[in-house]
Amino acid sequence: MPLFQRLRNWRKNTISASILKAFKKVLPPMSSTEKEAIEAGTVWWEAELFSGRPDWQKLMNYPVPTLTVQEQAFLDNEVEQACALVNDWEVTTQDMDLPEAAWQYLKDNKFLGMIIPQEYGGLGFSAFAHSEVITKLSTRNSALAVSVMVPNSLGPAELLIHYGTPEQKNHYLPRLATGQEIPAFALTSPWAGSDAAAIPDSGVVCKGLWEGEEVLGMRVSWDKRYITLAPVCTLLGLAFKLYDPDGLLGEQKEIGITCALVPRDHPGVEIGRRHFPLNAMFMNGPTRGKDVFMPLDFIIGGPAMAGQGWRMLMECLAAGRAISLPSSNVGMSQLAVRTVGAYARIRIQFNLPIGHFEGVEEVLARMGANTYAGNAVRIMTAGAVDLGEKPSVVSSIAKYHVTERARSVINDAMDIIGGKGICLGPSNFLGRAYQQIPIGITVEGANILTRNLIIFGQGAIRCHPYLLKEMQAAQEPDSATSLDNFDRLFWQHVGFSVRNGLRTLASGLFGARIFTLRHQAAAETKSYYQHLTRLSGALAFMADVTMLAMGGSLKRREKISARLGDVLAQLYIASCVLKQYESHGRQQDELPFVHKAVQQCLFEAQTALLQTCRNFPNRNIGLLLRLVSFPWGASFSVPADALDHPICEQLMQPGSTRDRLTANCYCPTHPEDPVSAIELALVYAIKAEPVEAKIRQDEKNGLFKNHPEANVRDIARLAFDMNRISAEEYELLATRNRLRDTVIHVDDFPGELRNPAAFMNLGNTRQGDPK
């Protein structure tokens, strides 16, 4: 036997065997549902970020998502028309629903079947096209966006495409594509919200009558809530736990979570009344059933897929989370940036547009950078789905961080527009977005859960090059094979950790410039790739030490897990921003947005790493981690104030940068629409500025001193009467003033509407009927 093999056998039997024994003890217990959740989906760019040395050329090689001719035409025509059919104020105060004409238009033009393949009558759109449509619809009205979003996300169509029997596909998919069937998917229970695997809803395999014959089926009871489109659905997707106490299907008594399709008019199906989620008028409500008998053929995929529901949901969840909420929240952000950027130029206080005040400039610049980053994450993540990935980790990052950045954008926007934003009415372009932003924070996995348990909890296992394989080796029933595999993987893991630790220390001591790049980075962004490589190494090293030190208890150390997840997320966001800058052709006018977004990511990643060190349960290990990762202390600071001005200049004037940043915004042309009014007022505000400056100079020179008309409202007329401006200039100012007054107008209502229910027309609310 060769010496190397003898040494390896000695190591395996004397060292690795003991480590494997200890590893099995600290390995956290994992239920079958947890195991399926962790193993669901695929690993993509996030694995590179967890490797300690990302291959940036691989990032650059990912194709940039594009629209087909058909998809672009749909966006330019059908989506525009759908937006034009909806008035946000009327939907939220009068109709309490989308107009009948809008519903019919969505059905006729297959909005509800965007993901359904063309062979079944759907549009067969790419994930990117789906994302583009949802983003644009979200800039108009939330009910419009959600009503389209849900049928194209995780639900009956998605599950049928992947798992349905040929008979189910041929029957339901064409009907779903054309809106003959309106789908809803019922998962959430009052007793199991975020812990969806714990649903108490259950079914028992039994025999019963179906269409006059005795067949093998299930008697199912459920109580669900928060089910979007439930009040108007005609086809209910239903998740429940299936049991077979009499062994009618085999020896297994507890079969597991199962997904079925149940027609709304099936005997025993109860659709409840509507929920009212923060003045968002998309249909949402409860559904119940008690001992409802249904044949086994109702199971998606037929009887063979009984008990496979959780795996089905986990495998399909990534695609939905990667598109739906990131897209809708980016839409809100784009609307806020476009309108508030213009408002900051139109609204004048102390003889200056408010956007020229440094306090407003700081907030507006933050809105711009967050929107740029959120859009970059949306596009890159949707592109991953089109590449065939089911990115479970990055979809969680996208869901959490895009919705949180959108919350920041909307809050900042409300701070800038002030009283205009807090008074609801037809001219308020932001109030409903402010009310409804918590919805995205809450649904499809609450953000607190996503951050504290999922991003790192799932990411560390899936992204790590060795950890999942080591866990699988430890669970191998054959002891010899288990030890042999574990020995090989463990010592490769040790080498991986040591290399990352040494690289992290070296880059901390000598700077990230020690990393050479294998791709041609732009000079203005080259250092960012090096800094991200350094932080990637620090994350990989710190994660390994943390998992080694804490073992299974890390599952309960949510704050530590959340911070390490924050690092991974910030690295991903920065990657998306740099990818977007490259895909846009390195547009120099975008550089301030890139600098601010990436520098913020670097700072927040560093903060999360330092907080992990500071709060490490073993203080000595925490000190060691800090010394290795940041031997000279913190390296990154918040973005410089100097970046704010060029960002705001781009947001406060028409131009290609503003148009690219808000490319998905629906911009109506109706003069009474508040967004349309803002767009026109911005043009005239800029045209009028030279004339305004001329008047201000005369005012400084004392020409209008002590004159009663020398006030903000009347001074233009005074200047014209004194021949200080021409008739054309006066007319320009008059037009600017009229448009400005339209923009800053705040709605008022008759005093007798003292009852909020009467004001909101809630007294006429009725349970929605199928459209």
Side-chain angles (χ1 to χ4, degrees):
M1 181 183 294
L3 178 61
F4 173 79
Q5 187 61 46
R6 289 202 302 271
L7 290 174
R8 191 195 169 207
N9 287 341
W10 174 83
R11 181 190 71 188
K12 182 168 60 175
N13 295 316
T14 59
I15 302 176
S16 299
S18 299
I19 295 172
L20 175 59
K21 185 177 180 181
F23 182 76
K24 288 181 177 180
K25 287 183 179 179
V26 300
L27 196 64
M30 191 176 297
S31 66
S32 60
T33 52
E34 285 179 305
K35 186 173 184 294
E36 288 176 351
I38 285 176
E39 294 178 353
T42 58
V43 176
W44 188 56
W45 175 247
E46 68 273 31
E48 286 289 324
L49 295 173
F50 215 94
S51 70
R53 195 155 193 184
D55 182 354
W56 297 108
Q57 187 60 55
K58 180 183 289 188
L59 176 69
M60 295 303 125
N61 289 342
Y62 289 137
V64 178
T66 57
L67 298 175
T68 66
V69 173
Q70 179 195 9
E71 291 167 344
Q72 186 65 62
F74 187 84
L75 199 67
D76 293 339
N77 297 290
E78 283 84 352
V79 177
E80 282 280 318
Q81 181 60 26
C83 290
L85 289 170
V86 173
N87 178 289
D88 189 68
W89 177 250
E90 292 175 1
V91 167
T92 55
T93 58
Q94 297 173 30
D95 300 332
M96 310 299 284
D97 189 5
L98 294 178
E100 197 69 42
W103 269 111
Q104 194 59 50
Y105 188 82
L106 297 179
K107 295 175 184 178
D108 291 344
N109 290 276
K110 302 184 179 181
F111 277 81
L112 309 186
M114 287 193 295
I115 66 168
I116 295 175
Q118 292 181 358
E119 58 262 37
Y120 294 105
L123 294 176
F125 278 0
S126 64
F128 177 57
H130 176 194
S131 175
E132 290 282 281
V133 171
I134 298 303
T135 304
K136 190 163 195 170
L137 295 177
S138 297
T139 69
R140 187 60 173 165
N141 173 259
S142 62
L144 177 64
V146 172
S147 298
V148 173
M149 181 172 80
V150 168
N152 291 288
S153 185
L154 177 64
E158 177 86 3
L159 295 171
L160 281 169
I161 291 168
H162 292 286
Y163 308 105
T165 64
E167 294 79 13
Q168 290 172 336
K169 291 180 180 181
N170 290 329
H171 176 73
Y172 282 120
L173 289 178
R175 297 170 63 83
L176 288 166
T178 58
Q180 290 175 268
E181 300 280 6
I182 303 293
F185 190 78
L187 174 62
T188 306
S189 158
W191 301 276
S194 295
D195 186 12
I199 52 173
D201 314 288
S202 62
V204 176
V205 178
C206 62
K207 292 183 179 180
L209 289 177
W210 172 246
E211 296 181 342
E213 296 183 10
E214 185 179 68
V215 300
L216 193 60
M218 312 166 285
R219 197 165 298 282
V220 185
S221 297
W222 70 92
D223 186 355
K224 307 284 191 178
R225 66 180 179 186
Y226 307 145
I227 310 306
T228 302
L229 296 187
V232 296
C233 78
T234 63
L235 184 63
L236 184 67
L238 185 64
F240 55 92
K241 289 182 176 177
L242 184 62
Y243 299 87
D244 185 16
D246 297 328
L248 298 177
L249 296 180
E251 296 183 0
Q252 188 175 357
K253 305 297 183 183
E254 185 174 338
I255 295 175
I257 293 177
T258 300
C259 296
L261 287 180
V262 189
R264 176 196 175 106
D265 58 4
H266 186 75
V269 174
E270 178 186 346
I271 302 294
R273 300 188 298 174
R274 289 177 63 176
H275 297 316
F276 188 41
L278 294 175
N279 285 339
M281 293 303 154
F282 61 85
M283 289 292 175
N284 186 278
T287 174
R288 304 175 188 88
K290 179 68 174 176
D291 294 331
V292 177
F293 180 79
M294 57 190 75
L296 292 178
D297 287 343
F298 277 23
I299 296 173
I300 297 176
M305 295 302 290
Q308 301 300 307
W310 189 246
R311 178 175 64 84
M312 294 159 59
L313 293 172
M314 290 300 100
E315 288 178 351
C316 292
L317 178 64
R321 296 185 94 204
I323 297 168
S324 300
L325 288 170
S327 302
S328 60
N329 280 261
V330 165
M332 283 193 286
S333 297
Q334 288 191 17
L335 174 67
V337 164
R338 190 172 186 96
T339 54
V340 175
Y343 186 90
R345 186 72 172 266
I346 297 164
R347 181 68 161 140
I348 294 176
Q349 297 283 273
F350 306 102
N351 296 329
L352 278 176
I354 62 173
H356 289 165
F357 291 96
E358 286 196 354
V360 173
E361 187 177 79
E362 176 185 14
V363 174
L364 185 57
R366 183 167 62 225
M367 290 174 60
N370 275 332
T371 301
Y372 189 92
N375 200 46
V377 170
R378 173 187 73 88
I379 292 172
M380 184 160 150
T381 309
V385 177
D386 281 331
L387 291 175
E389 302 289 344
K390 295 180 179 179
S392 55
V393 177
V394 300
S395 65
S396 297
I397 291 173
K399 189 274 175 183
Y400 172 79
H401 284 275
V402 173
T403 57
E404 289 294 343
R405 283 172 184 262
R407 172 153 62 177
S408 172
V409 168
I410 299 300
N411 285 339
D412 283 343
M414 290 292 285
D415 284 351
I416 292 175
I417 64 175
K420 168 72 178 179
I422 64 172
C423 294
L424 289 174
S427 65
N428 189 322
F429 51 86
L430 205 59
R432 293 306 190 198
Y434 179 73
Q435 284 183 308
Q436 295 162 20
I437 199 71
I439 297 173
I441 304 295
T442 302
V443 300
E444 288 195 18
N447 276 9
I448 291 177
L449 167 76
T450 302
R451 175 177 180 259
N452 286 267
L453 295 179
I454 296 178
I455 293 176
F456 183 77
Q458 188 174 26
I461 296 175
R462 289 305 311 275
C463 299
H464 199 286
Y466 301 107
L467 186 58
L468 181 59
K469 296 174 184 176
E470 288 170 330
M471 294 171 66
Q472 292 168 340
Q475 294 166 349
E476 167 64 44
D478 182 79
S479 58
T481 303
S482 173
L483 179 57
D484 191 66
N485 290 341
F486 182 82
D487 172 77
R488 174 176 47 81
L489 291 165
F490 177 78
W491 293 105
Q492 289 175 350
H493 187 166
V494 169
F496 170 79
S497 298
V498 170
R499 288 191 299 274
N500 277 322
L502 292 175
R503 277 200 302 268
T504 299
L505 178 60
S507 62
L509 289 171
F510 305 113
R513 62 183 178 274
I514 67 170
F515 296 115
T516 56
L517 299 177
R518 285 175 278 181
H519 79 290
Q520 292 297 317
E524 61 268 23
T525 58
K526 178 180 178 181
S527 64
Y528 292 146
Y529 295 98
Q530 294 170 318
H531 292 317
L532 292 169
T533 299
R534 174 190 170 187
L535 291 176
S536 171
L539 170 64
F541 177 67
M542 200 171 292
D544 272 338
V545 173
T546 300
M547 289 185 286
L548 177 64
M550 297 188 186
S553 67
L554 181 58
K555 191 175 180 180
R556 298 185 299 276
R557 296 280 188 173
E558 294 179 27
K559 295 176 184 177
I560 296 291
S561 176
R563 290 178 183 125
L564 292 174
D566 288 344
V567 181
L568 179 61
Q570 296 303 331
L571 297 182
Y572 181 70
I573 295 167
S575 301
C576 294
V577 169
L578 293 171
K579 174 69 172 175
Q580 179 166 269
Y581 177 65
E582 293 291 331
S583 68
H584 284 183
R586 300 181 181 179
Q587 300 286 338
Q588 293 302 295
D589 54 359
E590 291 185 15
L591 264 179
F593 296 87
V594 174
H595 288 317
K596 191 171 181 70
V598 176
Q599 288 174 23
Q600 188 66 36
C601 288
L602 293 172
F603 176 75
E604 292 186 13
Q606 169 188 263
T607 300
L609 287 168
L610 288 172
Q611 287 180 343
T612 300
C613 299
R614 189 176 299 118
N615 292 280
F616 210 86
N618 185 310
R619 299 190 63 173
N620 291 327
I621 295 177
L623 177 61
L624 173 66
L625 290 174
R626 187 181 67 78
L627 290 174
V628 171
S629 302
F630 299 97
W632 307 119
S635 305
F636 308 109
S637 59
V638 294
D641 290 346
L643 293 171
D644 292 348
H645 184 71
I647 291 176
C648 291
E649 285 299 300
Q650 303 280 16
L651 298 181
M652 293 195 299
Q653 63 182 335
S656 59
T657 312
R658 180 172 180 259
D659 288 342
R660 282 197 303 274
L661 183 65
T662 62
N664 300 90
C665 259
Y666 171 67
C667 294
T669 56
H670 194 288
E672 294 184 5
D673 187 280
V675 176
S676 177
I678 284 176
E679 290 292 300
L680 188 57
L682 175 62
V683 173
Y684 276 88
I686 294 171
K687 287 181 179 180
E689 284 177 353
V691 184
E692 187 83 24
K694 186 192 298 187
I695 294 175
R696 294 303 167 208
Q697 187 59 51
D698 283 347
E699 188 177 26
K700 286 182 181 178
N701 293 338
L703 257 63
F704 310 131
K705 191 174 181 180
N706 299 325
H707 201 291
E709 292 184 358
N711 59 67
V712 66
R713 185 188 63 214
D714 303 318
I715 198 168
R717 180 71 192 184
L718 177 62
F720 174 63
D721 290 343
M722 295 178 65
N723 296 318
R724 302 305 299 171
I725 59 174
S726 68
E728 292 79 10
E729 290 174 324
Y730 174 69
E731 184 59 34
L732 174 61
L733 289 177
T735 303
R736 187 278 311 266
N737 291 345
R738 176 175 54 79
L739 292 170
R740 179 192 61 196
D741 290 348
T742 299
V743 168
I744 67 174
H745 168 73
V746 172
D747 302 289
D748 50 51
F749 300 91
E752 62 266 20
L753 289 179
R754 296 172 183 167
N755 183 343
F759 174 71
M760 294 301 298
N761 201 23
L762 291 180
N764 295 327
T765 302
R766 66 185 187 281
Q767 178 180 328
D769 296 320
K771 300 296 175 194

